[in-house]
Amino acid sequence: MSKDIVVFKDIPALLQGLKTLQPKNKNFHIHRFEDTPETQVNETAIFRSNTYALILMLEGEADYKIGLHEYHMCPGSLYFLGPRHLRHYKRDNNNWKGFVCLFTDEFTTSTNLPNHFNDYAFYSLRGKQKFQLENEDLNTFKNQINRLYEMYEANEMENCWHYLHIILNNAEKLHRLRYEQQEEKPEDELVINFNRVLEQHFYDLVTNKAESLYSVQDFADKLFVHPNYLSATLKKSTGLTAGKLIKNRTVLEAKSMLQSTDMTISEIAYTLKFNDTSYFTKFFKGATGQTPTQFKEVK
């Protein structure tokens, strides 16, 4: 694995890097696996992409690394990739059938519709990225994604946006049923906006667009609220203060890089804007009970 993690800035760049089909639209794309050319790569290096992906495998197998999780994909696998996820895949064969759908935050800008992609649990590092579908669930998602593909082929982009959210909402219900086992609770708008800014900030960190790790005050300034009010609202909704949530998210990002790349401890500390490696090591051990080196050795 390379220490230089490739970041594909958009859908055309990602598809070009994978040596597969090129999109009709730079912000939204869907194609069938069986239509991909033989040039598509069978194994990637670790990479990131400023895109969301929704993928349904109907035939074929592959091993995926998504963030902190390793998955084996096979017929009936429905899986999701978010802009924050480190990604790697290795195809077991070229006989894939199914659908791959890619979209960006800018897709909502072009349609003048709201963006809530970050709110879906499976696009968070904390969520599960794969569902193994059977019977009625498999048929439902297969038919819905095929309909989305038909809309794309007909260049009905606004309809694609609406239908995409129907599919994602159905997947979110399935995620809650399988992994959360609790009723949906409406979240405060400030909590939603905090999570969105938090995720964007960490993407900016790993792509070297941020000069420092945001403090609670920085997030409060971004959200135009007092830091005490921000922490109180987050505590009421999540049980954790803003400072604890930022710390947990920093640890998640560090774990992802330690598990999925061959970056050195110093490189990871530098990426996450720690002043020195020793402070990063102290921070990580305080949060996990292990040094970064110990965590990396048992990955």
Side-chain angles (χ1 to χ4, degrees), residues 161-173:
W161 186 95
H162 287 288
Y163 210 72
L164 172 64
H165 274 273
I166 291 174
I167 297 170
L168 294 177
N169 285 338
N170 287 339
E172 181 75 0
K173 292 176 183 177

Side-chain angles (χ1 to χ4, degrees), residues 10-215:
D10 53 27
I11 293 174
L14 173 61
L15 294 178
Q16 182 178 4
L18 298 180
K19 298 181 180 180
T20 187
L21 300 168
Q22 283 300 291
K24 298 178 181 179
N25 184 291
K26 67 178 182 179
N27 295 320
F28 180 84
H29 171 78
I30 183 171
H31 68 255
R32 301 183 302 182
F33 279 125
E34 50 265 45
D35 295 333
T36 57
E38 294 182 358
T39 56
Q40 178 164 336
V41 298
N42 288 324
E43 182 175 7
T44 68
I46 294 290
F47 70 95
R48 276 188 167 95
S49 175
N50 192 24
T51 60
Y52 300 86
L54 160 69
I55 303 170
L56 177 64
M57 184 177 289
L58 299 176
E59 292 185 20
E61 295 187 46
D63 292 309
Y64 263 83
K65 177 78 172 181
I66 307 173
L68 299 175
H69 307 295
E70 295 182 0
Y71 300 102
H72 182 73
M73 308 303 184
C74 57
S77 294
L78 176 69
Y79 52 106
F80 305 85
L81 309 171
R84 267 62 60 180
H85 296 139
L86 284 163
R87 314 179 191 179
H88 166 267
Y89 75 78
K90 181 179 180 181
R91 303 205 303 183
D92 291 353
N93 57 61
N94 292 323
N95 301 319
W96 278 15
K97 289 187 177 180
F99 300 91
V100 54
C101 177
L102 305 169
F103 48 98
T104 67
D105 287 326
E106 289 74 20
F107 182 43
T108 59
T109 304
S110 63
T111 54
N112 295 316
L113 293 167
N115 172 13
H116 296 300
F117 299 140
N118 286 337
D119 299 338
Y120 294 106
F122 37 78
Y123 287 129
S124 163
L125 282 177
R126 303 172 185 84
K128 298 291 186 181
Q129 282 74 50
K130 175 195 171 184
F131 305 133
Q132 193 59 38
L133 305 177
E134 295 180 354
N135 305 324
E136 185 176 348
D137 285 335
L138 178 57
N139 287 331
T140 296
F141 281 99
K142 177 183 175 181
N143 291 336
Q144 289 181 341
I145 296 173
N146 184 66
R147 179 65 184 125
L148 183 62
Y149 170 74
E150 293 173 346
M151 291 177 179
Y152 175 75
E153 289 295 299
N155 202 35
E156 299 172 358
M157 287 302 159
E158 186 162 325
N159 287 340
C160 283
W161 186 95
H162 287 288
Y163 210 72
L164 172 64
H165 274 273
I166 291 174
I167 297 170
L168 294 177
N169 285 338
N170 287 339
E172 181 75 0
K173 292 176 183 177
L174 192 60
H175 189 282
R176 286 198 302 272
L177 180 65
R178 291 193 178 188
Y179 300 119
E180 299 176 28
Q181 298 296 320
Q182 61 185 23
E183 294 184 3
E184 182 180 11
K185 296 184 293 185
E187 283 194 316
D188 188 284
E189 185 177 358
L190 180 59
V191 178
I192 294 172
N193 289 335
F194 172 81
N195 286 328
R196 186 173 295 119
V197 174
L198 181 71
E199 292 300 321
Q200 182 60 51
H201 177 57
F202 273 87
Y203 184 76
D204 289 343
L205 281 173
V206 299
T207 54
N208 204 30
K209 295 178 182 177
E211 296 181 357
S212 63
L213 179 63
Y214 276 0
S215 65

